[in-house]
Amino acid sequence: EEIEALKEAQLEESKKVNNIKKQLNKTATDGLDHEMALSEAHTMIMQRDESLREADKTVEEQDNKIHNLEAFVQALKDESVEREVAYDELKEKAKKMGAALVQVGAERALTEELLELERSGEKSPTPEPMAEAAAQVKAVAAVKNIAKKKTFK
């Protein structure tokens, strides 16, 4: 009976040892599974980090492109303003030149008329051509004054 009890106790101990071995094997397997899962998670994290770095580079490149476009647009605006100012200056010069041409034309016409009178032998011009010449000089002066007033407005 005692041997039977010892055999049963040994059998129980053997079962306990086998259960402990199974648990150790299971724990080792679980540990390996966890280690593999951690490794996979680490790999995924590394891939996401790389993707984020690439996305950051793309965002930086886009920011640079936007900055370059903004600078280009500003340069175009500046150039447009400069051209507008130059155009306004040219318009003013053209007005002044037009007034000057009118004056020169009137003076030339007056000079030609006076030369014509001298050639024709008239020493002192009659009052009518002189009145016309005076009217032309006054008209030129009026145009010149109008041009000056418009130039400064």
Side-chain angles (χ1 to χ4, degrees):
E1 255 185 58
E2 211 174 285
I3 292 178
E4 259 328 290
L6 282 175
K7 279 184 182 180
E8 269 189 52
Q10 188 180 10
L11 188 61
E12 284 294 318
E13 288 299 317
S14 228
K15 285 180 183 178
K16 286 180 184 177
V17 167
N18 283 337
N19 281 338
I20 291 172
K21 282 182 183 179
K22 283 180 186 177
Q23 285 178 349
L24 284 174
N25 283 336
K26 186 175 186 306
T27 303
T29 303
D30 288 349
L32 287 175
D33 289 345
H34 287 299
E35 192 174 321
M36 287 177 65
L38 286 173
S39 177
E40 287 175 12
H42 179 70
T43 302
M44 287 175 56
I45 289 170
M46 295 301 282
Q47 288 173 345
R48 286 186 183 163
D49 283 348
E50 183 62 29
S51 294
L52 287 174
R53 278 191 289 277
E54 288 176 15
D56 285 345
K57 285 179 187 176
T58 302
V59 167
E60 187 175 335
E61 288 171 0
Q62 295 302 320
D63 282 348
N64 288 338
K65 286 180 183 178
I66 289 170
H67 176 72
N68 290 341
L69 286 173
E70 287 172 343
F72 180 70
V73 166
Q74 186 60 46
L76 287 176
K77 285 179 182 177
D78 293 345
E79 184 179 334
S80 175
V81 168
E82 289 172 6
R83 284 184 180 190
E84 191 174 327
V85 167
Y87 174 75
D88 289 344
E89 289 173 357
L90 284 174
K91 256 179 30 180
E92 291 302 317
K93 286 180 182 179
K95 284 181 187 177
K96 290 176 184 177
M97 288 177 73
L101 286 174
V102 168
Q103 181 182 1
V104 167
E107 288 173 358
R108 184 174 184 184
L110 179 61
T111 304
E112 285 177 5
E113 198 172 311
L114 289 173
L115 286 174
E116 195 62 35
L117 286 173
E118 281 182 21
R119 282 188 207 132
S120 68
E122 292 183 32
K123 297 255 176 180
S124 64
T126 60
E128 290 168 4
M130 287 305 287
E132 273 184 42
Q136 286 180 349
V137 168
K138 285 181 183 177
V140 168
V143 168
K144 206 173 182 183
N145 284 337
I146 290 170
K148 282 183 183 176
K149 287 178 183 176
K150 286 186 178 180
T151 300
F152 292 110
K153 283 186 178 178

